[in-house]
Amino acid sequence: MSLSFNVSVELKYGLKSLSFIKKVFWYNLLNYLIKTLGCQVNVCDSDKLDSAFSACGACKVDSLLDADVFVLNTCSVRMQSEQKTFSYLGRVEELKQQNLDMKVVVMGCVAERLGYDIKKRFKSVDLVIGTKDVDDSISKIMDLCYLKVSLKKIIPNVSPRSQIVSHITIMKGCNNYCSYCIVPFVRGVEKSFDYNTVINECSLVVKNGAREIILLGQNVSSYKHRNVDFSLLLKSVALIKNLKRIRFTTNHPKDLNDDLINVIATNPKTCPHVHLPMQSASNKILQSMNRRYTYEYYLALIEKLRVAVPDIEITTDIIVGFPGETDEDFECTLSAVKAIRFSGLYVFKYSPRPNTRAFEMSDNVSTIEKKRRHAIILKESNKISAEIALKMVGSNCQVLVEKIWNNFMEARTRNGRKVFLKINKEYFGKIINVVIKEAKVNSLFGDVIG
Ligand code: 5AD
Ligand code: SF4
């Protein structure tokens, strides 16, 4: 690289970030670190950013100390999630004193919610970008780092670390306005992506080696683009040659209709696993949450799913300590957890979020009581999960080998359980038969058959 080139770069970009610019233009070496908080939609956006950086020859590092660019992709669904963002930024603030050239980017839901206030509070932050358009966000990050990339050439949603399983976002935003939820305020109104674009993305990732696709959105079951609804989209994705499995998440019980149940039951590529957030089993609380279903409706839906797809695994989300949740309301939820026997669940302590309707309600369940209810649900759920897993010991099942670690392989059953196996690289990306030898709450251990 010539001296005149260096001088022209300095003239163009100014002297402020000279050693950063040298790294990019002179040594062709830029280290980046992306930290992702929150849901799969964020993971998917980060994957795309990851692909953009690696297409420019930048090098992924594991430690903040080695990073020239640090991108924090944030979540604001609960207060605790936002606090994680602030504690990361606090650490970065100290590190930037030692490495003034490090670029710091905040993206995702906290960035959308607080915008410029983040820059005011944390002087180390160079760029804050919201959630409106991921391609536009990636372009801005590339500009900040003086990198050039044609986003058309980036294979969407393919990260170097997840070639066998690829996440494809099919919609953004949400119109449901559950009274506790900040998502409609930070992700905007629901918008389903163009059907042809989704199918092209899916075909591209399969060409690139993916064998399983996970379709993502805040409420995939309400996908609608022109005449295509979610059931039709699933059937179309299933036609892609060499694709072995499809999963999807997340769903709202009010939108999971008979057509969709029928596709799960009959389409061999659609995996028998549904994440169906229940939130509460008290009708009074469900109404106050604006969930638009009763517990009886939810239970009937579970029964319908189990009749249509006998090997289905159902997982859920639960909130404890919502405003006005009495002991009696909580007991309803606990009894439902015992009766339904979810394969797994996420339980959250209610956290008041600005702008939401519940924010106006009195947060009258004490922190101690929320903790107590949280622990009870978690204990019960772990017990049930372990019992279900234990019943699988001795059985044969089909798994897709998703990852190879140093001395073992990570695979997944059709209904979503992780199975760890002895390493044999030949099996990477293949569907194989295994026998389950041992079970723990969240994972199984098996041997390959034949
Ligand atoms: N407090 C606690 N949990 C929440 N969730 C969403 N908003 C809140 C909140 N304010 C939970 C719901 C949702 C999951 C993604 O996060 O259970 O399904
Ligand atoms: Fe939030 Fe309800 Fe939309 Fe889910 S369906 S993202 S909980 S508003």
Side-chain angles (χ1 to χ4, degrees):
M1 200 164 306
S2 71
L3 189 64
S4 63
F5 179 76
N6 194 24
V7 172
S8 72
V9 165
E10 282 170 24
L11 288 176
K12 187 168 170 201
Y13 296 107
L15 292 168
K16 209 170 141 221
S17 307
L18 192 57
S19 79
F20 187 93
I21 292 168
K22 263 193 188 160
K23 277 203 163 172
V24 180
F25 291 100
W26 191 278
Y27 301 111
N28 221 345
L29 192 84
L30 189 79
N31 291 340
Y32 69 96
L33 174 65
I34 307 171
K35 174 75 197 167
T36 309
L37 306 172
C39 68
Q40 283 295 340
V41 175
N42 273 6
V43 173
C44 201
D45 290 349
S46 292
D47 279 356
K48 198 167 183 186
L49 177 63
D50 200 351
S51 306
F53 271 125
S54 66
C56 296
C59 178
K60 185 147 89 175
V61 291
D62 294 328
S63 158
L64 255 174
L65 292 171
D66 300 326
D68 301 306
V69 188
F70 173 59
V71 182
L72 186 60
N73 196 354
T74 60
C75 169
S76 62
V77 77
R78 282 168 293 279
M79 188 59 188
Q80 221 183 359
S81 338
E82 266 193 24
Q83 272 157 356
K84 270 193 201 158
T85 292
F86 301 141
S87 71
Y88 263 102
L89 292 179
R91 229 190 114 209
V92 170
E93 205 84 340
E94 284 165 25
L95 278 176
K96 194 140 171 178
Q97 306 290 324
Q98 294 152 37
N99 177 7
L100 292 173
D101 279 327
M102 180 168 65
K103 305 270 183 215
V104 178
V105 181
V106 184
M107 62 187 282
C109 294
V110 182
E112 180 70 36
R113 192 172 97 69
L114 300 177
Y116 196 71
D117 281 354
I118 296 179
K119 261 184 110 150
K120 277 201 232 150
R121 184 165 159 196
F122 298 96
K123 300 287 177 244
S124 58
V125 174
D126 296 280
L127 183 63
V128 179
I129 31 185
T131 57
K132 297 265 148 48
D133 179 342
V134 65
D135 282 354
D136 186 52
S137 305
I138 294 176
S139 296
K140 285 185 178 136
I141 296 170
M142 296 294 122
D143 282 351
L144 178 81
C145 302
Y146 313 113
L147 296 171
K148 283 243 164 314
V149 65
S150 159
L151 284 175
K152 282 201 188 106
K153 287 196 184 143
I154 301 286
I155 296 181
N157 306 318
V158 177
S159 80
R161 74 175 160 72
S162 62
Q163 283 165 3
I164 297 302
V165 180
S166 261
H167 294 88
I168 301 284
T169 309
I170 63 164
M171 64 202 306
K172 61 179 181 181
C174 181
N175 291 344
N176 288 319
Y177 292 94
C178 299
S179 66
Y180 50 80
C181 185
I182 200 168
V183 167
F185 305 95
V186 286
R187 289 270 168 186
V189 290
E190 183 178 299
K191 185 176 181 297
S192 297
F193 294 160
D194 180 278
Y195 165 78
N196 290 315
T197 310
V198 172
I199 296 292
N200 285 342
E201 281 198 10
C202 292
S203 305
L204 266 171
V205 295
V206 174
K207 254 195 204 142
N208 202 50
R211 292 295 168 260
E212 176 174 318
I213 282 179
I214 306 181
L215 300 173
L216 288 181
Q218 300 298 345
N219 183 15
V220 290
S221 31
S222 72
Y223 176 90
K224 186 91 185 164
H225 181 255
R226 306 226 166 95
N227 292 330
V228 182
D229 65 3
F230 187 59
S231 312
L232 196 53
L233 178 72
L234 265 185
K235 283 193 262 185
S236 310
V237 174
L239 294 176
I240 297 171
K241 212 177 139 208
N242 292 331
L243 176 67
K244 307 276 187 218
R245 290 177 168 184
I246 312 169
R247 300 183 195 280
F248 53 89
T249 194
T250 180
N251 299 280
H252 193 298
K254 75 176 168 49
D255 299 308
L256 204 143
N257 59 24
D258 290 352
D259 275 356
L260 181 50
I261 296 176
N262 190 37
V263 178
I264 304 169
T266 55
N267 191 299
K269 290 191 187 177
T270 307
C271 290
H273 170 216
V274 174
H275 185 69
L276 200 59
M278 177 175 81
Q279 313 298 3
S280 168
S282 148
N283 286 337
K284 180 192 92 188
I285 296 295
L286 283 172
Q287 194 179 12
S288 181
M289 287 177 163
N290 193 30
R291 288 293 286 177
R292 288 178 264 179
Y293 55 81
T294 59
Y295 174 59
E296 291 70 29
Y297 167 90
Y298 184 87
L299 198 58
L301 188 56
I302 298 273
E303 270 157 23
K304 215 194 275 184
L305 274 164
R306 284 180 169 162
V307 168
V309 193
D311 59 342
I312 199 158
E313 296 234 10
I314 298 168
T315 51
T316 200
D317 291 343
I318 284 171
I319 298 177
V320 292
F322 186 79
E325 187 188 69
T326 59
D327 279 344
E328 224 177 11
D329 297 317
F330 172 69
E331 285 303 324
C332 287
T333 304
L334 181 60
S335 306
V337 167
K338 288 180 182 167
I340 295 173
R341 294 180 67 78
F342 295 103
S343 313
L345 61 79
Y346 297 101
V347 53
F348 306 102
K349 288 166 249 160
Y350 169 71
S351 161
R353 305 308 292 130
N355 297 319
T356 61
R357 276 200 358 233
F359 194 68
E360 308 300 322
M361 303 173 193
S362 154
D363 181 18
N364 62 348
V365 180
S366 70
T367 309
I368 290 179
E369 185 56 19
K370 280 180 189 165
K371 264 192 192 159
R372 190 186 75 87
R373 292 179 189 178
H374 182 270
I376 293 174
I377 296 282
L378 201 60
K379 190 168 167 212
E380 188 59 37
S381 156
N382 282 342
K383 188 182 125 223
I384 295 167
S385 255
E387 283 166 7
I388 297 174
L390 204 63
K391 271 200 188 143
M392 292 179 74
V393 174
S395 68
N396 295 351
C397 49
Q398 269 192 353
V399 296
L400 172 64
V401 180
E402 294 179 355
K403 282 180 198 156
I404 302 269
W405 297 95
N406 281 348
N407 49 5
F408 61 92
M409 310 193 288
E410 189 180 314
R412 208 172 276 272
T413 64
R414 272 172 51 76
N415 48 21
R417 287 196 176 251
K418 263 189 202 165
V419 184
F420 293 102
L421 304 161
K422 273 192 212 121
I423 193 157
N424 181 341
K425 287 184 181 160
E426 258 176 51
Y427 294 134
F428 183 55
K430 304 232 163 76
I431 291 194
I432 53 173
N433 290 316
V434 299
V435 57
I436 305 301
K437 291 282 190 186
E438 198 192 332
K440 295 206 171 133
V441 179
N442 291 317
S443 42
L444 301 163
F445 298 82
D447 284 342
V448 179
I449 306 176

